[in-house]
Amino acid sequence: MEQVEIEVSAPGEGSPDAIVLPLMEDDTTPRAAGDLAGQLQGLAEDGELRGDLGRTVVLHTNGASTARRVVVAGLGKRTEVDADAVRTAAAAAVRRLRESGGTLAWTLDESLPLPLDEQARAVVEGAVLGGYSPARWKTQQHDAKRIDKLVLIGGNDGVDEAARRAATVSKWVNWARDLANSPPNELTPADLAERAAELAGPNLRVEALDPKQIDELGMGALSAVGRASANGPRLIVLRYEPPNATENVVLGLVGKAITFDAGGISLKPALKMYDMKGDMAGGAAVIAGTGAAAELGAPVRILTVVAAAENLVSGDAFRPGDILRAANGKTIEITNTDAEGRLVLADALWYARKEGATHVLDFATLTGAMEVALGDLYAGLFANDDSWRDDILAAAQASGDHTWPFPLHRRYRRYVDSAYADMKNSSELRQAGAVLAAEFLREFSGDGPWAHIDMAGPGFLERSRGDYYTQRGGTGYGVRLIAELAQRFSA
């Protein structure tokens, strides 16, 4: 995994290939000195400089600056400038310079309504995430060049630390995106387990349980979902044990990793079924998030459990009407084989608790209902503990992985009551679909704080989101949230 080099410098130092000057709609020209200020003033008078969010203008300096090019990047209205606006502007600047690459300098601005360290973090994330390309499988790559060094002008020690941390986390976000974008013929459950195994190190152990071991543990739900495929299921387990770990706390991360979801016998429509390779984005997030936390030396033990399977159709596929027994002993009537994500998570949640997780958080591209409710920007959050919910929301807000709380209530449980088993895996009522899935998962979450993030919208995009995520496909949603959450545990 490549990581952009970070440097913090004073104004006038160095000779970057390009300098970015942020501009708000309320201002006429960005801050600049000497001949460059005059050139920018001329562009402003001609109406070519505007601070619209994401708008960029490139100026060839002709010796008026140490850099050959200056990019003016719009931040939008001053009253609306936040970290996302800075990320969007940085991404736009990087895309504008994709033909040149090299060293990019960004001028931090103390007049912005955002502290310098938060500006730096957002600049790095926007540049790295906005510069990502999903086209690694093309035989003839477009001759785009990457930014290999990012210089932050006007920073301090706090800026340097925030920027380097952001560069590390962003690298892992893009690693998760590569997993989600991988074609299903290259990323089966076993392949995902092998990719996770590559992360093993001094404080990080990785193992994968095969179909036989899954059956021996009584994981009837995970086993049933994966049995129609020649590529059998895997339960991937990562254990991060830092030397400075917080006592009596184990952060349990659980991820859904359906490496391809045809819907089983309840077959999905053919239109856009190819995007179902991204139904493992939750699993990719928790694996990459664990890798990021380990590299950053987060002071908390982490137990990560990923349920990986292909949901296909064959003579051995599980059927509507089947009754499965999950690892915790509860029985599940199958009413829709395309509601498979909650089935694999049921056994993974049980395993996380069995292995000692005290605080559990699962990530899953689980329901279309959540995407209908929140679109492609926010994920939905469900929690059985108010304090744990608030911790996750704070980490989400700080990280840029936006999350919104939804309710749990025992009366919703009746929607998945079954006449034949302890519960059924879906409801024929077109009501509260995402809530019902969360209530189903609560049956397997065990004792202690648990939360569920339904990331169906922001986990895998069908089109540009109009901000720093302009590419379709995996976003790496959840990696930044996990890294932020893990870092907030203190020894």
Side-chain angles (χ1 to χ4, degrees), residues 78-164:
R78 178 178 294 273
T79 56
E80 297 176 357
V81 171
D82 58 9
D84 267 355
V86 175
R87 293 181 186 108
T88 299
V94 167
R95 290 194 299 271
R96 188 65 185 268
L97 294 168
R98 67 181 61 187
E99 302 298 334
S100 54
T103 300
L104 175 67
W106 179 285
T107 305
L108 300 174
D109 188 346
E110 292 184 350
S111 72
L112 292 182
L114 202 65
L116 292 185
D117 60 336
E118 293 185 28
Q119 286 184 46
R121 176 177 177 174
V123 168
V124 173
E125 290 175 349
V128 176
L129 303 183
Y132 173 84
S133 172
R136 53 179 293 202
W137 290 272
K138 289 182 179 289
T139 54
Q140 294 184 345
Q141 294 282 349
H142 177 63
D143 191 23
K145 299 178 181 178
R146 65 184 296 270
I147 299 297
D148 51 29
K149 185 176 183 180
L150 187 58
V151 180
L152 299 166
I153 300 175
N156 50 37
D157 289 343
V159 162
D160 184 69
E161 181 181 355
R164 294 182 189 281

Side-chain angles (χ1 to χ4, degrees), residues 315-354:
D316 199 29
F318 74 123
R319 297 155 291 231
D322 283 358
I323 294 179
L324 310 179
R325 186 177 298 276
N328 71 347
K330 293 185 179 181
T331 56
I332 307 163
E333 179 194 1
I334 303 303
T335 57
N336 186 340
T337 63
D338 195 26
E340 86 297 327
R342 65 203 69 178
L343 297 175
V344 303
L345 286 174
D347 283 339
L349 287 167
W350 169 83
Y351 189 86
R353 286 294 191 198
K354 181 182 84 71

Side-chain angles (χ1 to χ4, degrees), residues 179-472:
L179 288 181
N181 291 331
S182 294
N185 59 315
E186 289 187 10
L187 196 74
T188 65
D191 292 326
L192 182 61
E194 290 179 4
R195 294 296 303 276
E198 295 171 1
L199 308 185
N203 299 320
L204 182 60
R205 292 183 292 126
V206 184
E207 64 177 324
L209 307 186
D210 61 25
K212 181 179 178 182
Q213 293 169 302
I214 289 169
D215 288 340
E216 289 172 350
L217 285 168
M219 294 183 171
L222 172 57
S223 178
V225 172
R227 75 188 186 204
S229 173
N231 301 306
R234 295 292 187 276
L235 191 77
I236 305 165
V237 183
L238 294 81
R239 290 180 171 87
Y240 169 59
E241 298 277 353
N244 60 336
T246 306
E247 293 184 4
N248 302 321
V249 174
V250 178
L251 174 58
L253 301 174
V254 176
K256 169 192 172 184
I258 303 298
T259 56
F260 186 75
D261 182 18
I265 288 177
S266 305
L267 191 66
K268 288 180 179 293
L271 182 63
K272 295 187 177 180
M273 191 192 285
Y274 45 75
D275 278 346
M276 287 300 100
K277 65 181 182 179
D279 208 17
M280 42 66 65
V286 298
I287 295 171
T290 304
E295 184 170 349
L296 293 169
V300 61
R301 287 181 291 165
I302 300 176
L303 171 67
T304 299
V305 183
V306 177
E310 288 183 338
N311 187 24
L312 302 182
V313 184
S314 77
D316 199 29
F318 74 123
R319 297 155 291 231
D322 283 358
I323 294 179
L324 310 179
R325 186 177 298 276
N328 71 347
K330 293 185 179 181
T331 56
I332 307 163
E333 179 194 1
I334 303 303
T335 57
N336 186 340
T337 63
D338 195 26
E340 86 297 327
R342 65 203 69 178
L343 297 175
V344 303
L345 286 174
D347 283 339
L349 287 167
W350 169 83
Y351 189 86
R353 286 294 191 198
K354 181 182 84 71
E355 294 296 301
T358 60
H359 296 68
V360 176
L361 173 59
D362 73 69
F363 289 81
T365 50
L366 203 63
T367 67
M370 183 55 70
E371 186 173 7
V372 170
L374 293 178
D376 59 12
L377 184 60
Y378 275 78
L381 171 66
F382 302 83
N384 67 355
D385 180 272
D386 290 349
S387 177
W388 183 225
R389 176 202 62 206
D390 292 345
D391 288 344
I392 295 166
L393 286 173
Q397 183 175 5
S399 70
D401 278 340
H402 299 303
T403 304
W404 196 260
F406 275 70
L408 288 174
H409 196 287
R410 63 184 180 277
R411 292 181 188 171
Y412 280 119
R413 174 61 173 78
R414 75 189 193 280
Y415 281 44
V416 291
D417 285 346
S418 167
Y420 307 103
D422 294 327
M423 70 199 79
K424 57 188 178 183
N425 76 322
S426 69
S427 170
E428 57 274 11
L429 298 175
R430 296 182 61 82
Q431 297 179 1
V435 184
L436 302 185
E439 287 289 353
F440 179 96
L441 293 178
R442 179 151 66 158
E443 296 285 328
F444 304 90
S445 62
D447 296 328
W450 158 77
H452 158 62
I453 288 183
D454 188 338
M455 49 183 277
F460 195 92
L461 302 182
E462 297 180 5
R463 61 192 183 283
S464 168
R465 205 168 71 180
D467 54 11
Y468 54 102
Y469 280 115
T470 60
Q471 309 90 346
R472 72 184 313 275

